[in-house]
């Protein structure tokens, strides 16, 4: 049986600090198809692309919505990557229930601000906060702290963005 649902267009952000580590947020919501698992509840910022929105603009908007960061310079981007959501039997009214997974373009950005710019708890753009904590992490370790269905994408991102981690 094939899944007829489309992939949701999405951008992901690998925000590198001066030490070559990336920003990860601790998810505190475990609702719907993107359910989180204890101990595997960290991820890099990511989010949906609005109809007709430029992908780089979407990445900067999502970064700001989820972390308040605006001080970032473009380094590079991946080709499109996809992952499937795990089976979901919850309410079909959930905003992600109409999708089979996500089709993502990842952006590598260099953080040019100071750590006190990072604030994941304040809602922005009418979007609820997704992270209750954040930290800098080695890029090659991030796949080990995300939910299993995202791991292959995170490994591909780590491989492609490895030059920015130095």
């Amino acid at each position: 049986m094939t899944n007829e649902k489309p992939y949701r267009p999405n951008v992901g952000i690998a925000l590198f600090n001066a030490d070559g580590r990336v920003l990860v947020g601790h998810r505190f919501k475990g609702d719907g198809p993107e359910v989180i698992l204890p101990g595997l509840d960290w991820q890099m910022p990511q989010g949906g692309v609005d109809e007709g929105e430029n992908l780089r603009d979407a990445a900067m908007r999502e970064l700001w919505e989820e972390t308040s960061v605006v001080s970032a310079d473009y380094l590079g981007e991946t080709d499109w990557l996809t992952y499937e959501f795990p089976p979901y039997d919850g309410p079909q009214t959930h905003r992600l229930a109409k999708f089979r997974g996500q089709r993502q373009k990842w952006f590598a950005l260099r953080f040019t601000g100071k750590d006190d710019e990072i604030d994941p708890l304040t809602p922005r753009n009418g979007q609820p906060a997704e992270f209750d904590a954040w930290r800098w992490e080695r890029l090659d370790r991030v796949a080990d702290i995300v939910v299993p269905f995202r791991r292959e994408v995170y490994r591909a991102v780590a491989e492609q963005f490895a030059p920015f981690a130095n």
Side-chain angles (χ1 to χ4, degrees):
M1 180 171 144
T2 58
N3 187 337
E4 299 298 320
K5 293 179 182 180
Y7 286 103
R8 178 180 181 232
N10 192 278
V11 290
I13 300 98
L15 182 69
F16 290 88
N17 69 8
D19 296 327
R21 293 181 180 252
V22 292
L23 183 139
V24 293
H26 181 262
R27 289 195 63 160
F28 62 89
K29 292 183 347 184
D31 65 325
E34 289 200 298
V35 65
I36 59 174
L37 301 170
L40 303 174
D41 38 13
W42 293 87
Q43 70 178 58
M44 292 185 278
Q46 66 175 57
V49 177
D50 296 333
E51 185 72 32
E53 187 175 23
N54 174 282
L55 295 175
R56 255 196 235 186
D57 293 343
M60 293 303 294
R61 176 185 51 75
E62 283 294 335
L63 180 63
W64 173 73
E65 284 178 359
E66 294 186 4
T67 68
S68 83
V69 170
V70 295
S71 304
D73 292 334
Y74 175 84
L75 297 172
E77 61 194 72
T78 66
D79 289 331
W80 288 100
L81 303 168
T82 59
Y83 67 80
E84 310 262 332
F85 292 137
Y88 177 66
D89 295 326
Q92 293 306 298
T93 55
H94 189 281
R95 66 185 174 83
L96 296 177
K98 63 185 174 190
F99 299 105
R100 71 188 291 178
Q102 304 213 77
R103 181 174 182 253
Q104 298 181 308
K105 182 168 281 275
W106 281 83
F107 290 84
L109 304 174
R110 178 75 61 203
F111 183 50
T112 58
K114 298 197 181 319
D115 283 4
D116 61 4
E117 179 179 343
I118 302 167
D119 170 20
L121 291 173
T122 301
R124 284 170 281 281
N125 256 5
Q127 300 296 316
E130 291 189 31
F131 303 137
D132 60 3
W134 68 273
R135 72 179 196 233
W136 296 109
E137 182 58 75
R138 283 189 10 212
L139 179 63
D140 63 351
R141 293 195 58 227
V142 178
D144 296 331
I145 59 174
V146 302
V147 288
F149 60 90
R150 287 194 180 133
R151 284 197 179 134
E152 289 309 309
V153 164
Y154 272 65
R155 286 184 182 119
V157 169
E159 183 177 317
Q160 291 183 45
F161 290 167
F164 305 124
N166 298 322

